[in-house]
Amino acid sequence: MENVAVFDSPGKGRGLKATKEFWAGDVIFSEPSLAAVVFDSLAERICHSCFRRQDKLQRCGQCKFAHYCDRTCQRAGWAEHKQECSAIKAFGKVPNENIRLVARIMWRLDKEGSVVSDMQLTTLEELEDHITDMQEDDLKEFKVDIHNFLDYWPRNSKQHTIDVISHIFGVINCNGFTVSDQRGLQAVGVGLFPNLCLVNHDCWPNCTVILNHGKIELRSLGKIAEGEELTVTYVDYLNLSEERRRLLKTQYFFDCTCEHCKNGTKDDLKLGGREVEGVKPSEEQVKEATDYCFEMLEKMDKARLNADYHEVVKICRECIEKTEPILADTHIYLLRMWSTLSEVQAYLQYFDDAAEYARKMVEGYMKLYHPNNAALGMAAMRAGVTHWQAGQIEIAHGMICKAYAILMVTHGPTHPITKDLDSMRIQTEMELRMFKQNEYVYHSMREAALKNKPMTMMHEPKSVEEGIKNLFHRRK
């Protein structure tokens, strides 16, 4: 951890600062989890050791709960699972993910002490738990978890006071980091990374965090000077300043004072009207279109939860037809409509339609997000694949190259998704060359190739809850 130092950040408490200069894409530090668990909802579909999604997993013969890719993963995960396995059998049921994570943390601390590595910059005792800041409803759930934890915690394990147990629950409540699958496309679990807990928030940060081969990496988004504070964003920048501040206050218990929040930076774009030849719609027209869009988004969400994708398409089309002439191409509600319609139409294999809306979505994102934002990179990748599926090879290659450039910074060259993108980039470059030489031959060969194994990202559209995730995991 020679690249960073702990310091008192004005108005924020402790933070981390750079002890040397960094450039875009530099790994400032990497850190394994103190402990991590798979989400309750994915316990049978994700390996509990390597967090890979697999079609067929082997179940632990003892507790019947933990699932693994194979014997290798089971052996690798046994040190963490051993006590958990006995506790689940004795308890007679599986506790929720928060209880399982707290137990794993406590077993490790009992065995190794409060500092488990020479690289660890802080102990859990020094981290904030914010229990006194919790709302009454959250506090009730919190107390239920503690009660259930006490029933679950084995009598032959070291016993701890309620204050100690409560503190660890509080720490993971506001510092648990969402763990993604091996390709970084889906949140599959939650873990605790003590050094990451020291990195403060900024709505326009200079760093990003990615999980790569079982460790988190703090990566620089641009030039960072020696002595500069290192920051990440805890919430999606696409939210309005007021909404970001509300989320940060209710979920992380602090008032954001960053420049983007204080100045409402880009809020005018996020709720703006479309300017045509210097003429803008009235504020009343924009408000009416915004309200209508919001109402239709609620209907669309319900249809999406019911997997009624044709109804989703109908709702999106009606909304876009009515509001697109009025709302700016950076309006966050319109962007969400374009994103949803593109994703669903790709799933239904209407690729030309999907490509058009994916392109609009990316163009809007480019005006709002930091140029090296991971969400922008993933959106450009999706748009590139969608254009490829539509046979629009020139735009497809351009989008994939853009995505690759961003993810080389945010994810790095060794991350599985970047490697996938590099393969796509090479493939589309070859296809583009062929297309420019002879369009007829290109389309003939492409049709033949599609019958074999196409480049694809046509997973079933995610539920509303699995949209762009906040950086830190929050129990719903």
Side-chain angles (χ1 to χ4, degrees):
M1 300 299 290
E2 67 277 2
N3 294 337
V4 299
V6 182
F7 80 117
D8 289 323
S9 178
K12 295 181 181 180
R14 291 189 305 160
L16 289 184
K17 64 179 179 180
T19 57
K20 57 176 275 191
E21 187 176 78
F22 293 102
W23 293 88
D26 284 348
V27 177
I28 298 168
F29 69 78
S30 66
E31 179 184 19
S33 68
L34 184 65
V37 295
V38 174
F39 287 148
D40 300 336
S41 58
L42 297 172
E44 296 180 4
R45 288 177 280 167
I46 301 294
C47 176
H48 289 217
S49 178
C50 70
F51 291 89
R52 288 176 182 270
R53 176 183 282 277
Q54 301 284 6
D55 292 331
K56 290 184 179 179
L57 293 169
Q58 296 178 11
R59 189 170 64 171
C60 173
Q62 299 286 323
C63 67
K64 314 292 186 189
F65 166 68
H67 287 70
Y68 300 98
C69 298
D70 49 32
R71 305 271 316 166
T72 303
C73 276
Q74 189 168 9
R75 280 194 293 270
W78 180 242
E80 268 200 297
H81 180 56
K82 183 178 179 181
Q83 287 165 295
E84 175 185 74
C85 187
S86 300
I88 289 172
K89 284 193 295 179
F91 190 44
K93 58 183 178 180
V94 180
N96 70 41
E97 61 212 31
N98 276 15
I99 293 171
R100 289 188 286 115
L101 180 57
V102 169
R104 282 193 168 202
I105 290 169
M106 293 184 72
W107 279 317
R108 184 161 186 197
L109 294 179
D110 288 347
K111 181 183 177 183
E112 301 180 39
S114 59
V115 178
V116 301
S117 160
D118 292 341
M119 308 291 281
Q120 193 176 319
L121 297 172
T122 182
T123 64
L124 264 59
E125 289 85 353
E126 294 172 308
L127 295 174
E128 291 283 351
D129 59 33
H130 292 289
I131 294 171
T132 56
D133 298 317
M134 292 174 74
Q135 298 293 315
E136 191 174 339
D137 287 347
D138 292 334
L139 205 54
K140 281 180 184 176
E141 283 188 34
F142 188 79
K143 287 177 179 176
V144 168
D145 272 353
I146 292 171
H147 175 79
N148 290 334
F149 175 87
L150 291 170
D151 289 340
Y152 170 67
W153 187 250
R155 299 291 172 260
N156 59 351
S157 290
K158 181 182 175 182
Q159 298 303 301
H160 296 273
T161 65
I162 293 290
D163 285 347
V164 169
I165 296 165
S166 299
H167 176 70
I168 296 179
F169 268 102
V171 167
I172 68 161
N173 189 51
C174 48
N175 289 292
F177 180 74
T178 299
V179 174
S180 59
D181 62 8
Q182 74 273 21
R183 295 182 73 233
L185 294 175
Q186 183 189 12
V188 298
V190 57
L192 188 68
F193 300 81
N195 293 339
L196 178 61
C197 296
L198 294 170
V199 182
N200 285 318
H201 163 85
D202 194 290
C203 290
W204 199 260
N206 54 19
C207 298
T208 190
V209 184
I210 198 71
L211 190 80
N212 191 9
H213 299 292
K215 294 182 178 182
I216 60 101
E217 292 177 348
L218 186 73
R219 304 181 68 91
S220 172
L221 293 176
K223 184 181 176 182
I224 298 176
E226 182 181 344
E228 189 177 339
E229 179 169 13
L230 305 171
T231 56
V232 293
T233 184
Y234 296 178
V235 295
D236 184 16
Y237 183 69
L238 234 54
N239 290 307
L240 296 169
S241 301
E242 185 181 349
E243 176 64 6
R244 293 199 307 273
R245 295 180 92 164
R246 186 192 69 78
L247 289 169
L248 292 165
K249 184 66 173 177
T250 57
Q251 295 183 5
Y252 305 103
F253 311 107
F254 68 87
D255 296 304
C256 185
T257 57
C258 78
E259 291 300 314
H260 279 67
C261 276
K262 283 195 292 187
N263 300 329
T265 308
K266 299 195 179 185
D267 282 356
D268 56 337
L269 297 177
K270 294 175 188 177
L271 285 183
R274 182 178 298 274
E275 185 175 329
V276 181
E277 296 179 355
V279 179
K280 288 184 178 180
S282 67
E283 286 184 18
E284 189 178 335
Q285 285 176 305
V286 172
K287 185 182 184 307
E288 187 180 322
T290 298
D291 291 344
Y292 176 75
C293 214
F294 182 77
E295 182 185 320
M296 295 298 274
L297 280 169
E298 289 186 325
K299 288 182 180 178
M300 181 267 287
D301 285 345
K302 286 178 184 175
R304 199 173 178 187
L305 281 170
N306 294 328
D308 188 352
Y309 297 129
H310 291 286
E311 180 64 17
V312 170
V313 171
K314 181 185 171 189
I315 292 167
C316 288
R317 283 198 183 285
E318 284 179 15
C319 183
I320 289 168
E321 187 179 337
K322 185 169 180 178
T323 62
E324 198 173 59
I326 300 166
L327 301 180
D329 60 1
T330 51
H331 194 290
I332 52 177
Y333 294 168
L334 191 55
L335 284 171
R336 191 166 157 209
M337 280 291 177
W338 286 339
S339 174
T340 301
L341 187 53
S342 165
E343 191 177 359
V344 171
Q345 288 292 67
Y347 178 66
L348 297 174
Q349 300 193 34
Y350 295 109
F351 297 124
D352 287 331
D353 214 26
E356 178 190 351
Y357 293 111
R359 178 184 51 76
K360 289 181 177 182
M361 172 191 69
V362 171
E363 287 173 354
Y365 281 4
M366 286 171 65
K367 295 175 184 177
L368 296 176
Y369 276 127
H370 186 289
N372 284 332
N373 185 285
L376 173 60
M378 298 297 277
M381 178 177 71
R382 197 178 106 196
V385 172
T386 307
H387 279 84
W388 182 89
Q389 290 164 333
Q392 299 175 31
I393 187 62
E394 291 177 287
I395 300 176
H397 181 63
M399 286 284 189
I400 285 169
C401 285
K402 176 164 189 59
Y404 181 71
I406 295 171
L407 265 66
M408 278 291 286
V409 172
T410 60
H411 290 59
T414 65
H415 195 281
I417 200 70
T418 315
K419 290 181 177 179
D420 284 353
L421 258 175
D422 196 26
S423 299
M424 292 181 198
R425 183 178 62 85
I426 292 166
Q427 179 181 330
T428 54
E429 187 176 355
M430 287 167 55
E431 290 188 24
L432 181 58
R433 198 177 300 129
M434 190 187 303
F435 172 80
K436 287 179 176 178
Q437 288 171 352
N438 190 317
E439 287 186 37
Y440 175 76
V441 171
Y442 165 72
H443 285 295
S444 300
M445 291 184 71
R446 185 177 186 278
E447 242 176 81
L450 281 171
K451 291 174 184 175
N452 184 11
K453 189 180 178 184
M455 182 194 307
T456 180
M457 285 183 69
M458 284 190 299
H459 304 298
E460 185 168 358
K462 303 180 188 75
S463 65
V464 180
E465 289 81 10
E466 290 184 13
I468 297 173
K469 292 281 183 184
N470 288 343
L471 172 63
F472 290 108
H473 166 69
R474 291 284 299 175
R475 186 178 169 194
K476 294 291 185 287

